Amino acid sequence: MKKSVLALTASLAFAAGSVSAQEVIITTGKSGGGYHGVFGTNLARVLKEQGHDASVVTSLGSIQNLDRVNSGEAHIGFTQGDAFAAWSKKHPNSNVEEIGSLGEECVFVATREDGIDDEDDIGEGTKIAVGEKGTGSAVSWDYLRTLEDDYAEASTFYQGGIRSLAKVASGQFDAFLWVTAPGNLNHSYLEAVNANDDLRVISLNDYSLNEKLPSGETVYEFHDVVVREGRFSDTEVETPCTSVLAVANTEMGAEALESAAAAIMMNANRIRGL
């Protein structure tokens, strides 16, 4: 019954030239984060301009968004590509469909200058902090561990924030992992690393990390990403990057899905805040 109501609601909400009394619910991320404050807010604004009634709700991130869209609690949501791949393995017959891409997010790993040299050193005995459970960075790390046996042997600490970076600098942790858009040199973690001579960002380029999304696209693409700008040359690392995806509930119906996908494709840069 819930799915039938969702399909009817979505069809009404996206019907051309009409405004539904029911809302199109977009599940996003934490308040103040990019999924909520940028993607969700801007997508809702686009849909409202097209005559639809859209609302934005906060969430814990990718996994909760996928669960909500699958159950019908929300119509549209955002997720990292690697989170979608991991989630899809556990939900092979889900009601979730990818309807658009909104850029990329990359995995960054910080270590001490005199500590881990490269990703080949990550394994048994390594202490790595990856952010709180349910966050994008923790989801990425948990997924990476399923692809690389050495990563699975590392000791994982679900702690985040600048305090975790400080523990890397002091030697309590060997590494700290986070996820953000490439080129985001103003990210607080990267700024903290660049301000500390004892810390650096290393490459994470093990090519065993390739898998496929349900759409057939690769989960990760490896990019050379600038992590520090210099007067004469920049510092780059090679790291895996995954797409930021918009997903929708398939019970919305073909017309509603098509309208939602078109809204995202035709307004991608605006939704990304560009």
Side-chain angles (χ1 to χ4, degrees):
M1 179 68 178
K2 188 173 185 179
K3 293 179 181 178
S4 298
V5 172
L6 173 62
L8 176 59
T9 298
S11 296
L12 289 171
F14 282 93
S18 69
V19 178
S20 170
Q22 299 291 331
E23 292 180 323
V24 178
I25 300 172
I26 306 167
T27 180
T28 57
K30 292 183 178 180
S31 179
Y35 284 12
H36 178 260
V38 181
F39 295 167
T41 298
N42 289 338
L43 175 57
R45 185 175 294 117
V46 168
L47 294 176
K48 287 177 181 178
E49 289 175 357
Q50 295 178 356
H52 312 309
D53 188 9
S55 65
V56 174
V57 294
T58 59
S59 78
L60 297 176
S62 295
I63 298 301
Q64 186 172 32
N65 290 342
L66 289 164
D67 288 339
R68 284 176 173 175
V69 171
N70 186 47
S71 69
E73 186 179 345
H75 301 89
I76 299 171
F78 306 112
T79 178
Q80 293 171 196
D82 52 3
F84 189 27
W87 183 89
S88 296
K89 288 184 177 181
K90 299 178 181 179
H91 304 82
N93 300 308
S94 75
N95 297 313
V96 178
E97 178 178 321
E98 176 187 337
I99 59 170
S101 177
L102 293 168
E104 291 183 312
E105 290 184 324
C106 302
V107 179
F108 297 89
V109 175
T111 68
R112 280 183 57 88
E113 281 283 358
D114 59 358
I116 292 173
D117 284 329
D118 57 40
E119 63 88 23
D120 289 333
D121 293 332
I122 300 175
E124 185 176 2
T126 302
K127 298 177 181 178
I128 182 169
V130 299
E132 293 81 3
K133 275 188 173 291
T135 60
S137 57
V139 169
S140 291
W141 175 247
D142 287 342
Y143 181 63
L144 290 169
R145 295 177 74 203
T146 69
L147 305 179
E148 173 52 58
D149 292 340
D150 288 341
Y151 296 173
E153 295 178 356
S155 297
T156 300
F157 294 81
Y158 292 99
Q159 301 176 27
I162 297 297
R163 288 179 299 166
S164 293
L165 268 176
K167 289 180 180 180
V168 175
S170 67
Q172 296 177 69
F173 291 148
D174 299 302
F176 175 65
L177 178 148
W178 75 92
V179 176
T180 191
N184 185 10
L185 296 176
N186 294 322
H187 193 283
S188 59
Y189 295 157
L190 190 55
E191 287 183 329
V193 171
N194 288 335
N196 191 313
D197 292 337
D198 292 329
L199 297 175
R200 63 179 173 179
V201 178
I202 63 171
S203 291
L204 195 71
N205 54 3
D206 192 312
Y207 284 84
S208 67
L209 305 180
N210 282 317
E211 270 211 334
K212 302 285 186 180
L213 289 166
S215 64
E217 301 175 25
T218 56
V219 176
Y220 295 112
E221 291 186 358
F222 293 89
H223 296 315
D224 292 324
V225 179
V226 173
V227 294
R228 186 198 297 262
E229 292 180 331
R231 177 177 295 182
F232 302 108
S233 64
D234 297 333
T235 302
E236 295 182 339
V237 295
E238 186 177 15
T239 191
C241 300
T242 189
S243 296
V244 177
L245 304 175
V247 295
N249 187 291
T250 56
E251 297 294 324
M252 290 171 65
E255 182 177 348
L257 285 168
E258 186 71 12
S259 295
I264 291 169
M265 179 172 290
M266 300 299 292
N267 298 277
N269 284 339
R270 184 180 171 195
I271 293 169
R272 291 166 58 193
L274 301 178

